[in-house]
Amino acid sequence: MHYGFDSAQLAVYNPGQVNVVKDKNMSLMFYVHDVLAEYDRLIQAIPGIGITSPPERRPWGAYSFWFLDPDGNTVSFIEKKDLQ
């Protein structure tokens, strides 16, 4: 599946029989205009998505949510209002 976010694309797929690393040492972060809109869009588009942290203001000031990709890696969406 491919999902569009501004000028970026996120591909989420099952690699089938391809061996993947067991250690989850990768994280993707995407800046978006509206965290709540993207959160709502993803939970509707991907039933059972592995949300690990719903949208909230982080202690360091970021407004974000986190979920796991099919391999268990963390993906973060972070609100940034001044995107072009």
Side-chain angles (χ1 to χ4, degrees), residues 5-6 30-34 78-84:
F5 304 98
D6 292 322
F30 293 92
Y31 285 112
V32 297
H33 289 286
D34 187 337
I78 304 162
E79 190 164 278
K80 188 168 182 173
K81 294 289 189 184
D82 62 349
L83 292 174
Q84 296 298 325

Side-chain angles (χ1 to χ4, degrees), residues 10 32 54 73:
L10 171 64
V32 297
N73 299 300

Side-chain angles (χ1 to χ4, degrees), residues 5 11 20-21 24 26 34 50 61 67 69 71-73 75:
F5 304 98
V20 293
V21 64
K24 308 305 178 215
M26 193 221 25
D34 187 337
F67 64 96
D69 74 5
D71 292 327
N73 299 300
V75 180

